[in-house]
Amino acid sequence: SRSPSSSLSPGPSGAQGSSPLAGSKRARTGILEAIADEEEAMDTSAMAKTNAAGAPVATQGAVSPVVLVEGVDGERSVLEAVMDGEKEVVEALDEDYTIATHFVKVRRSGTLSDVHTLWDLVGTEAVSGSVEAILEARPGFDRLPSINAFDKQSKSNEMLSGLRYFEHALRDNGRGQPKPPYSWGAVDMGSVGRCFLQLCTRAVDVFSSEPRLLEVASPCYVLGDLHGNFHDLVCFEKVLWRMGPVLTPASFLFLGDYVDRGVYGFEVVAYLLAQKLLVPSKFLLIRGNHEIRAVQETFTYKSECIQKFGDGLGQEVWEATNAAFDAMPIAAVVDKKVFCVHGGIPLPVLGDGLISAINSIPTILPDPMEQSPLAWNIMWNDPIRNEEIDPAIEQHLKENEGFIENFARGTAHMFSSVALEAFLRKNKLSHVIRAHECKAAGFQIQQHGHLLTVFSSSHYCGATNEAACVLIDSKKIRTIRLDTT
């Protein structure tokens, strides 16, 4: 992006530390205890108690949290919401809707405190007799896809639990030692790496099943380059999807450049893939120019993998990451009007200038420069700045439909506002949102208001830039700057 101006960690006595991702009960208990210590150290509220039937009971003296009920199929759908002890019932007769199989409790901070299925509530006041009969008649409900988002034993949720541990500081890591924030401490990195390999394998299948041009409906948040900035990614999570993507009424579109330059590229990718596997229709990832092996070898991601996991497993982690990157979609369009890419619009001779041609790009793309000039343009192109245009360049742009070789990057092309306007007209679009360049405010509106660049990693390479994202909703494109302090 253009800017604006080892071995496993040992436990006590050389033993390998307990891992949040290890399969053994002992290892799992250790990380849960560590997370509990962490929450106590941070003065977070205690988990709500449950009765023998598994139904939640409010802790004495505590403010009642919101209870969201999510699940049962039938001709009539009922969503019950309980807030401050008062019950509201909303009835919907649309057979296209169903009540999901899980309900959750949410703390006042917005974090989840408890998750149960409807079967846990059978025999309590929360489920009527008529619903009990449906549950008994249709035992297959517990195999619905929505159950995956709340399965604590899934690899995705194991990884997310591990990343919560990684993120927070602990006064006591369970061995009488403090753990600094953004550190794995004494965790067995072999277990972390092996869990990640499984996520990558599944992610390849999910990405391969998607079109190369994603079609997205608003509301949708769009985030630009992250470049290994896990701190800022967590800040976005706490602001935009604190209860998790499945409980947030919006989609989240990431425009690539997840790794390199920042020191937490692995953690960023692990988080994004875990969320993608939990809610594939709402967490949407497209490919940037740093999702390429040769670029990562020049910059930092490959060496980061080796440093964190050692030569053998580190190489496997890096290769698995790139197998997932090879299958990522290339672009997205929101509400058929807002074209979203990492770099920029392609040359009009590629696919006749139509975005529909993007779906002809090979699904598995290990070498986009050789395999697909269209993908390469989309991942690398930039808008040309007014200050870069001299008379010779202006003449070249006029003779080449608003395009010129990208002299700043040494590959791909730059495009003018004339080229952009022709592209928008041909595809019946209103705007283009792209990433690829650091901006001081986290975003920049360009080319007569039809192009918006967004960058979502603050203090990039030691600079003072802010991080931002974009909300597309109600026929408006709104920029949101994030305070990451």
Side-chain angles (χ1 to χ4, degrees), residues 307-463:
Q307 186 271 325
K308 289 179 177 176
F309 296 99
D311 291 335
L313 183 57
Q315 182 73 25
E316 287 186 65
V317 165
W318 183 67
E319 289 289 356
T321 305
N322 280 284
F325 289 165
D326 291 346
M328 277 184 175
I330 303 299
V333 60
V334 180
D335 292 341
K336 300 185 184 299
K337 285 294 181 182
V338 183
F339 185 60
C340 300
V341 292
H342 179 73
I345 63 172
L347 290 170
V349 297
L350 300 173
D352 198 29
L354 296 171
I355 63 172
S356 58
I358 295 171
N359 280 325
S360 67
I361 293 172
T363 299
I364 303 298
L365 200 67
D367 190 355
M369 185 177 185
E370 295 297 327
Q371 291 178 272
S372 176
L374 176 57
W376 192 257
N377 266 233
I378 290 170
M379 294 160 65
W380 283 92
N381 284 4
D382 290 299
I384 192 166
R385 303 185 183 115
N386 287 334
E387 58 269 25
E388 294 172 324
I389 302 176
D390 60 23
I393 290 176
E394 185 174 12
Q395 183 61 33
H396 186 97
L397 292 170
K398 287 180 180 179
E399 294 172 356
N400 292 276
E401 301 181 81
F403 285 85
I404 190 171
E405 292 79 7
N406 196 328
F407 48 81
R409 296 187 187 273
T411 189
H413 296 83
M414 292 178 169
F415 57 92
S416 68
S417 60
V418 172
L420 177 66
E421 289 164 8
F423 175 82
L424 294 175
R425 284 195 304 270
K426 189 161 195 175
N427 290 283
K428 299 180 180 180
L429 300 167
S430 64
H431 293 81
V432 170
I433 298 177
R434 43 91 66 173
H436 203 35
E437 293 182 282
C438 182
K439 301 298 180 182
F443 72 95
Q444 185 177 57
I445 303 170
Q446 301 157 273
Q447 297 197 344
H448 307 299
H450 293 292
L451 179 73
L452 195 154
T453 296
V454 60
F455 200 84
S456 302
S457 177
S458 66
H459 305 290
Y460 177 64
C461 294

Side-chain angles (χ1 to χ4, degrees), residues 2 33 106 126 128 168 174-175 191 206 235 269 357 389 399 406 464:
R2 291 201 285 181
E33 290 176 350
V106 184
S128 71
H168 292 142
R175 300 178 180 82
S191 296
V206 173
C235 289
V269 175
I389 302 176
E399 294 172 356
N406 196 328
T464 59

Side-chain angles (χ1 to χ4, degrees), residues 37-161:
D37 290 342
E38 165 203 347
E39 289 186 343
E40 182 178 351
M42 298 176 67
D43 296 323
T44 58
S45 59
M47 299 281 282
K49 296 179 181 178
T50 59
N51 61 19
V57 178
T59 305
Q60 186 175 3
V63 176
S64 298
V66 178
V67 178
L68 300 177
V69 178
E70 267 200 313
V72 176
D73 198 359
E75 295 181 356
R76 187 180 181 197
S77 297
V78 179
L79 171 64
E80 294 187 349
V82 181
M83 183 180 292
D84 296 332
E86 295 185 4
K87 181 179 293 184
E88 298 177 354
V89 178
V90 180
E91 298 183 354
L93 300 179
D94 188 342
E95 293 182 359
D96 290 335
Y97 278 83
T98 63
I99 298 179
T101 56
H102 288 76
F103 73 92
V104 303
K105 271 194 174 182
V106 184
R107 297 190 183 101
R108 288 180 295 174
S109 65
T111 58
L112 302 187
S113 66
D114 217 346
V115 179
H116 289 285
T117 69
L118 289 179
W119 288 269
D120 295 328
L121 299 183
V122 171
T124 72
E125 195 177 68
V127 176
S128 71
S130 63
V131 175
E132 288 184 23
I134 295 174
L135 293 173
E136 292 174 0
R138 301 191 184 184
F141 284 150
D142 60 349
R143 294 191 294 271
L144 290 174
S146 62
I147 199 169
N148 295 331
F150 299 104
D151 179 8
K152 293 182 179 179
Q153 306 304 316
S154 72
K155 291 300 177 185
S156 293
N157 278 321
E158 278 192 41
M159 179 61 77
L160 292 174
S161 295

